[in-house]
Amino acid sequence: MHRYTVEGNNRVKVIGLITAASIVTSLILHIGLSPRIDTLPLPDYILPFVYTVLSIGVIFALFYETYKEYGWRMAPQFVSPIPNLSGEWEGCVSEDGEPLDFDAYLSGEECCQCGDDMVPANLTVSQNFEKIEFDYTPEKNGHNSKSQVAMIRGTYSNRPVVYYLFKNEGDSETGEYYGGARLDLGDDVLRGQYFTGPVGPEDGQAVFERS
C-alpha cells in the first residue's frame, strides 16, 4: 500500500485527540501505579522519564496503531470523515472513450450486468488510516494495474471524489504504462473516468459496486 492524502486537517485533529487521550491515560496510570513504581530500585532521575516520556510514548503508539488499523472505520464524521473504501468491488469498464450508461447499469432488470461493449472487472481496495491501494483486475482483454498515489477530496460532503494514478503491467508489446482515474463515491458505488498513456486504451469510463 502507499500513502494517500485527504482534504482538510482531520489527520492532525486525530493525532491531537490521541495525544490528549494518551496524556490523560498516562496520568491515571501514574496515580494508580506510582506507589509500586516508587518501590523499584531506579535512580531518581529515571522516574520522571518513566512517568512522562516513556509512558505517554508507549500509550500513544498503542492508541495510534489501534486507530490506524481499526478505529478510523468507526470514528464519527466530525472526528474523521475519511470514507472506508476497503473491500471488493465489481463492475464494468468501457474502452476507447465509449460512454457508460450509469443509470441503466445500476437500475432495472439488467442491473449490474456488463454489456457487449463493456469489460467486466474487479477492483480490490486495501486501506487503513494512512495508506491505500487500488488493485484493478479485468476479467478479460486486459492487464492488472495497481495505484501508485491517491487523494480523496470532498470528505466532508455526501459525494467524495477519489483520484489515483496507477501503473498497468501491460504486455510484451506495450510494456508497462501509466494512467489515472477519477471516481465519484456514492451509495456503495464508484463511478467515473480513467485515462492512460499512448500505449493503453487511452480513456474510458468505469463503474463499480461494492460486493
Side-chain angles (χ1 to χ4, degrees):
M1 294 195 294
H2 52 79
R3 294 186 180 275
Y4 64 102
T5 59
V6 293
E7 278 188 316
N9 61 349
N10 77 83
R11 282 198 174 113
V12 176
K13 182 197 302 182
V14 167
I15 291 175
L17 291 173
I18 293 176
T19 301
S22 302
I23 293 173
V24 172
T25 304
S26 178
L27 290 174
I28 294 173
L29 291 176
H30 167 61
I31 294 172
L33 299 178
S34 58
R36 296 184 180 182
I37 295 178
D38 290 340
T39 61
L40 297 177
L42 297 174
D44 292 340
Y45 62 85
I46 292 292
L47 292 178
F49 176 78
V50 173
Y51 285 144
T52 56
V53 179
L54 183 60
S55 62
I56 294 175
V58 170
I59 292 169
F60 176 87
L62 291 174
F63 282 1
Y64 184 79
E65 286 299 315
T66 302
Y67 184 87
K68 183 182 76 173
E69 297 297 333
Y70 309 105
W72 70 276
R73 305 170 191 265
M74 300 173 285
Q77 179 82 3
F78 70 90
V79 173
S80 180
I82 298 176
N84 180 11
L85 304 176
S86 59
E88 300 291 332
W89 301 72
E90 297 179 350
C92 300
V93 174
S94 71
E95 295 183 342
D96 300 323
E98 290 296 325
L100 284 179
D101 189 341
F102 293 131
D103 293 333
Y105 173 84
L106 296 169
S107 62
E109 295 181 0
E110 298 184 357
C111 171
C112 315
Q113 300 296 316
C114 297
D116 294 337
D117 57 343
M118 303 177 188
V119 177
N122 299 305
L123 187 68
T124 302
V125 183
S126 305
Q127 182 185 9
N128 63 27
F129 183 61
E130 289 183 351
K131 297 182 178 182
I132 198 169
E133 183 178 69
F134 297 85
D135 189 349
Y136 167 80
T137 307
E139 294 186 8
K140 61 179 180 179
N141 301 332
H143 306 281
N144 295 0
S145 67
K146 290 189 177 183
S147 60
Q148 306 295 298
V149 296
M151 175 177 65
I152 302 177
R153 301 192 62 183
T155 52
Y156 287 94
S157 70
N158 293 327
R159 296 287 180 180
V161 183
V162 179
Y163 299 85
Y164 73 89
L165 300 180
F166 60 82
K167 180 172 70 174
N168 192 294
E169 63 186 19
D171 54 29
S172 58
E173 183 177 333
T174 64
E176 293 181 345
Y177 59 87
Y178 295 85
R182 179 195 184 278
L183 302 174
D184 297 293
L185 172 64
D187 300 326
D188 284 335
V189 174
L190 285 168
R191 65 176 80 181
Q193 298 78 36
Y194 74 92
F195 65 91
T196 67
V199 296
E202 296 187 1
D203 67 279
Q205 294 186 321
V207 56
F208 298 95
E209 275 201 310
R210 193 187 295 272
S211 300

